[in-house]
């Protein structure tokens, strides 16, 4: 048993019987991490911290919120006006959802660029996609809770997606609603599930981290850590780097929460839900817009819904679509170009999802949707065959030190 | 990192300074998250109650609500006032003169919450048991209160509290 040597006798006593301190030391302190990680690697831990912020503020909001169609809207207004610091806590929670998606989308694109989904990290990647799906479900149901116009009609439109399923569609929608329209039973179950799912996310995040720590982080070069000379302990090097990134993130986050808290919201949601009047222009929250654009691009109800779900589903099989053994885009000249075209296409889809479904926007949506799937289903498998990657460095140390073994005996502790 | 100086190094200073800033920041964030549990503005707005006591006739008791708690308003009979005044104050577990508890002797106003563990004592209705001193009796753990609402026997440590109130006219009191 060569665990760390704790000086505190109480810690030693506990650790001998319940080795939590050894575990934490192993996974958060000495945990060997590639020494060349850049700032794009901050977004994993950042996502974890935002999840904690969302849990804390969410549990607090649940202390003041009333999940009933007659009281939900007023209870949210009471939080904004009467509850001590309630406005702050709600704005943190509402904007926190947006920032959670910003952080997670950057995290995903980092994985796409540096090939973090490739062997042996396929399950790590797939667990990440599961987290994304759970986040979407949670965010959607959370948006329904204030029971404003956008809450109500968002819930109506999204639950109606399931009516596209042949045969059992109507039955499923009635089951989701607990009635014949979105009403009090719907609000009640959405509240229950909105409280439950974040804890399910925590569980999957734990699995995500277990899978991560099996082989350690990928890195900007996309090559394996060859030995001690290629890695540094997580603490203090990456704890400090993550803490600095957190400081920058919180500065931006606080600026939005305090100075433009409704910038990413929709004013119609400050109108109480009215089941008899649909707002003129229904738009989901910005983080759903690319998928919404794909949904509307397909002129068939069932196929549109399928395309929308397939847009995320395709991520599950990504590790087997991109067969190139080279992970990092740094050494894949063609992939790098197409990565940025793909990213731009996603931005375009986001833009189109927020525009009315008419005229040029429809045509553009269709082109962008086709390109989205073209990238995954045709381009990536094709590149794996036809692209000639640049030569890889022999080790993480080599590009810096000239040789993978120079100075290898020098160890930091 | 070997220490290059005796005692504290510049690095130690940075560590302590950053940890201190972190602690200050965490405390600033923690306060709103804790303070939200305190009474909200709309709760505080309901913190006073007005009541017209003229409808409470002699020998009658009425229970009203103030801050979500029962308040006993009892129009005492001359016999009850006399009993309350005749007690030797030094013998009481929580010594207090009846005159200090009722500005108008006939109208006694009390928070109707047992000072033991918060049950509502019996004695408001004519048919209720009123304990050995003819005031109130708490059925939860057997505390007896006299006709001034003072604890006489049982586990309760103090008298039934008199809420802050004033007569805003001859017959209307404002509690809180």
């Amino acid at each position: 048993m060569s665990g760390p040597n704790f000086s505190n006798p109480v810690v030693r006593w506990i650790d001998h019987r319940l080795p939590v301190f050894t575990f934490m030391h192993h996974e958060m302190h000495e945990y060997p991490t590639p020494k060349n990680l850049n700032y794009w690697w901050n977004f994993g831990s950042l996502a974890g911290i935002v999840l904690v912020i969302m849990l804390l503020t969410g549990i607090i909001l649940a202390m003041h919120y009333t999940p009933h169609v007659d009281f939900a809207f007023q209870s949210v207004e009471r939080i904004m006006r009467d509850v001590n610091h309630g406005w702050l806590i709600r704005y943190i929670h509402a904007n926190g959802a947006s920032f959670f998606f910003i952080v997670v989308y950057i995290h995903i694109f980092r994985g796409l660029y540096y090939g973090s989904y490739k062997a042996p990290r396929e399950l790590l990647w797939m667990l990440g996609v599961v987290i994304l799906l759970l986040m979407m479900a949670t965010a959607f149901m959370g948006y329904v809770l204030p029971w404003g116009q956008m809450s109500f009609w968002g819930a109506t439109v999204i639950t109606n997606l399931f009516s596209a399923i042949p045969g059992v569609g109507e039955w499923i929608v009635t089951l989701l609603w607990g009635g014949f329209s979105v009403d009090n039973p719907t609000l009640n179950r959405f509240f229950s599930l909105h409280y439950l799912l974040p804890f399910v996310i925590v569980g999957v995040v734990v699995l995500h981290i277990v899978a991560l720590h099996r082989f350690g982080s990928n890195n900007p070069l996309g090559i394996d850590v060859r030995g001690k000379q290629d890695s540094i302990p997580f603490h203090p090097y990456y704890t400090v780097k993550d803490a600095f990134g957190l400081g920058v993130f919180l500065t931006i986050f606080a600026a939005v929460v305090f100075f433009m808290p409704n910038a990413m919201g929709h004013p119609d949601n400050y109108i109480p839900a009215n089941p008899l009047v649909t707002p003129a222009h229904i738009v989901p929250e910005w983080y759903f817009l690319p998928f919404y654009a794909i949904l509307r691009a397909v002129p068939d109800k069932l196929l549109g819904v399928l395309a929308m779900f397939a847009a995320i589903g395709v991520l599950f099989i990504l590790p087997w679509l991109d067969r190139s053994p080279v992970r990092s885009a740094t050494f894949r000249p063609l992939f790098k170009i197409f990565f940025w075209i793909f990213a731009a296409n996603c931005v375009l889809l986001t833009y189109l999802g927020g525009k009315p479904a008419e005229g040029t926007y429809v045509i553009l949506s269709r082109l962008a949707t086709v390109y989205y799937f073209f990238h995954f289903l045709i381009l990536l498998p094709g590149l794996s065959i036809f692209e000639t990657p640049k030569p890889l460095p022999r080790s993480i140390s080599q590009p810096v030190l000239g040789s993978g073994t120079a100075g290898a005996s020098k160890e930091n502790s | 990192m070997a220490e290059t100086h005796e005692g504290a190094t510049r690095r130690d200073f940075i560590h302590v300074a950053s940890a201190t800033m972190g602690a200050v920041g965490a405390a600033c964030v923690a306060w709103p998250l804790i303070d939200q549990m305190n009474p909200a503005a709309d709760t505080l707005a309901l913190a006073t109650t007005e009541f017209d006591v003229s409808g409470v006739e002699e020998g009658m008791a009425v229970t009203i609500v103030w801050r979500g708690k029962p308040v006993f308003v009892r129009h005492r009979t001359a016999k009850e006032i006399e009993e309350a005044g005749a007690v030797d104050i030094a013998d009481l577990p929580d010594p207090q003169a009846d005159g200090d508890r009722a500005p108008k002797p006939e109208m006694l106003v009390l928070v109707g919450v047992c000072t033991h563990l918060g049950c509502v004592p019996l004695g408001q209705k004519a048919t209720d048991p009123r304990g050995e001193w003819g005031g109130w009796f708490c059925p939860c753990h057997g505390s007896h209160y006299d006709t001034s609402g003072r604890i006489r026997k049982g586990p309760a440590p103090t008298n039934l509290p008199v809420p802050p109130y004033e007569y805003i006219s001859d017959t209307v009191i404002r509690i809180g």
Side-chain angles (χ1 to χ4, degrees), chain A residues 186-201:
Chain A
T186 327
L187 179 59
N188 267 288
R189 64 194 57 183
F190 276 21
F191 177 61
S192 167
L193 294 173
H194 182 70
Y195 206 109
L196 167 71
L197 287 187
F199 295 97
V200 178
I201 293 178

Side-chain angles (χ1 to χ4, degrees), chain A residues 60 64 78 82-85 89, chain B residues 32 35-36 38-43:
Chain A
I60 287 171
H64 303 284
R78 180 176 172 273
D82 288 344
V83 173
N84 301 323
H85 311 284
I89 293 159
Chain B
D35 188 40
Q36 50 84 21
N38 274 319
D42 61 331
T43 309

Side-chain angles (χ1 to χ4, degrees), chain B:
Chain B
M1 32 184 139
E3 301 214 344
T4 49
H5 302 285
E6 284 294 310
T9 62
R10 285 159 174 259
R11 181 155 293 201
D12 289 336
F13 176 77
I14 292 172
H15 283 159
V16 172
S18 345
T20 309
M21 276 309 291
V24 170
C28 292
V29 172
W31 174 242
L33 302 185
I34 295 165
D35 188 40
Q36 50 84 21
M37 296 217 272
N38 274 319
D42 61 331
T43 309
L44 293 175
L46 296 174
T48 62
T49 297
E50 287 176 15
F51 180 65
D52 186 348
V53 297
S54 60
V56 187
E57 289 170 17
E58 185 170 326
M60 182 178 164
V62 169
T63 305
I64 58 175
V65 178
W66 171 62
R67 289 183 177 175
K69 289 185 291 197
V71 167
F72 295 161
V73 179
R74 184 139 149 193
H75 193 149
R76 296 189 290 184
T77 60
K79 180 169 167 286
E80 285 172 337
I81 298 170
E82 192 198 323
E83 280 173 6
V87 181
D88 182 0
I89 291 170
D91 290 346
L92 296 172
D94 181 15
Q96 200 179 16
D98 185 52
D100 296 340
R101 295 174 58 79
K104 289 187 180 178
E106 69 278 12
M107 203 58 71
L108 183 66
V109 180
L110 300 170
V111 176
V113 176
C114 181
T115 57
H116 180 222
L117 292 171
C119 298
V120 178
L122 297 172
Q124 288 293 88
K125 280 186 235 147
T127 51
D128 279 352
R130 289 186 164 178
E132 294 173 24
W133 282 268
W136 288 268
F137 170 69
C138 183
C140 291
H141 308 98
S143 291
H144 297 253
Y145 297 92
D146 66 14
T147 54
S148 185
R150 291 173 298 201
I151 181 65
R152 300 299 284 269
K153 181 180 160 189
T158 58
N159 304 332
L160 291 179
V162 178
Y165 71 97
E166 58 180 349
Y167 283 87
I168 54 173
S169 76
D170 282 349
T171 57
V172 177
I173 57 169
R174 182 168 62 207
I175 308 171

Side-chain angles (χ1 to χ4, degrees), chain A residues 131-325:
Chain A
I131 294 171
L132 175 65
L133 281 172
L134 287 169
M135 276 176 65
M136 290 176 148
T138 310
F140 159 64
M141 287 190 279
Y143 193 63
V144 174
L145 301 185
W147 212 242
Q149 274 290 66
M150 280 298 176
S151 300
F152 183 89
W153 292 102
T156 302
V157 169
I158 300 295
T159 47
N160 265 313
L161 290 178
F162 294 92
S163 70
I165 303 168
V168 292
E170 289 299 326
W171 184 83
I172 288 177
V173 173
T174 306
L175 186 77
L176 289 174
W177 286 343
F180 307 104
S181 64
V182 175
D183 207 337
N184 199 45
T186 327
L187 179 59
N188 267 288
R189 64 194 57 183
F190 276 21
F191 177 61
S192 167
L193 294 173
H194 182 70
Y195 206 109
L196 167 71
L197 287 187
F199 295 97
V200 178
I201 293 178
V202 170
V204 185
V205 166
V206 169
L207 294 178
H208 192 65
I209 293 172
V210 171
L212 170 70
H213 283 220
R214 179 72 178 90
F215 296 103
S217 292
N218 184 29
N219 65 81
L221 294 176
I223 57 176
D224 290 331
V225 168
R226 297 248 186 267
K228 281 192 161 180
Q229 74 280 4
D230 286 346
S231 70
I232 46 179
F234 190 79
H235 181 76
Y237 297 102
Y238 285 113
T239 44
V240 163
K241 191 170 181 174
D242 283 353
F244 177 74
L246 175 65
V248 174
F249 169 80
L250 289 178
T251 307
I252 299 167
F253 184 43
V256 172
V257 166
F258 284 104
F259 297 106
M260 42 196 299
N262 288 307
M264 286 180 282
H266 200 290
D268 274 27
N269 219 29
Y270 284 105
I271 303 169
N274 181 352
L276 305 180
V277 180
T278 309
H281 188 38
I282 285 271
V283 187
E285 293 285 85
W286 69 267
Y287 37 80
F288 292 135
L289 289 178
F291 307 101
Y292 195 58
I294 290 172
L295 168 76
R296 295 192 308 186
V298 183
D300 177 88
K301 186 171 176 180
L302 176 60
L303 292 180
V305 173
L306 287 178
M308 189 183 72
F309 283 108
I312 296 171
V314 73
L315 293 173
F316 278 108
I317 53 166
L318 174 60
W320 295 275
L321 293 173
D322 180 1
R323 310 288 306 195
S324 169

Side-chain angles (χ1 to χ4, degrees), chain A residues 46-175:
Chain A
L46 210 47
I49 292 166
V50 178
L51 176 60
V52 172
I53 293 174
M54 295 303 281
L55 281 167
L56 273 178
T57 51
I59 288 168
I60 287 171
L61 289 172
M63 295 180 189
H64 303 284
Y65 171 77
T66 311
H68 187 283
V69 289
D70 292 338
F71 306 106
F73 190 87
Q74 282 112 310
S75 75
V76 172
E77 283 308 301
R78 180 176 172 273
I79 289 169
M80 295 302 288
R81 291 153 194 262
D82 288 344
V83 173
N84 301 323
H85 311 284
W87 59 274
L88 175 63
I89 293 159
R90 175 166 174 257
Y91 276 153
I92 290 175
H93 197 73
N95 286 287
S98 276
F99 274 84
F100 201 3
F101 277 97
I102 292 173
V103 167
V104 162
Y105 282 152
I106 293 175
H107 187 62
I108 292 170
F109 273 96
R110 191 270 290 149
L112 289 174
Y113 186 85
Y114 292 110
S116 299
Y117 47 85
K118 291 186 187 180
R121 297 185 181 83
E122 301 97 321
L123 278 178
L124 171 61
W125 172 262
M126 293 164 81
L127 287 166
V129 181
V130 171
I131 294 171
L132 175 65
L133 281 172
L134 287 169
M135 276 176 65
M136 290 176 148
T138 310
F140 159 64
M141 287 190 279
Y143 193 63
V144 174
L145 301 185
W147 212 242
Q149 274 290 66
M150 280 298 176
S151 300
F152 183 89
W153 292 102
T156 302
V157 169
I158 300 295
T159 47
N160 265 313
L161 290 178
F162 294 92
S163 70
I165 303 168
V168 292
E170 289 299 326
W171 184 83
I172 288 177
V173 173
T174 306
L175 186 77

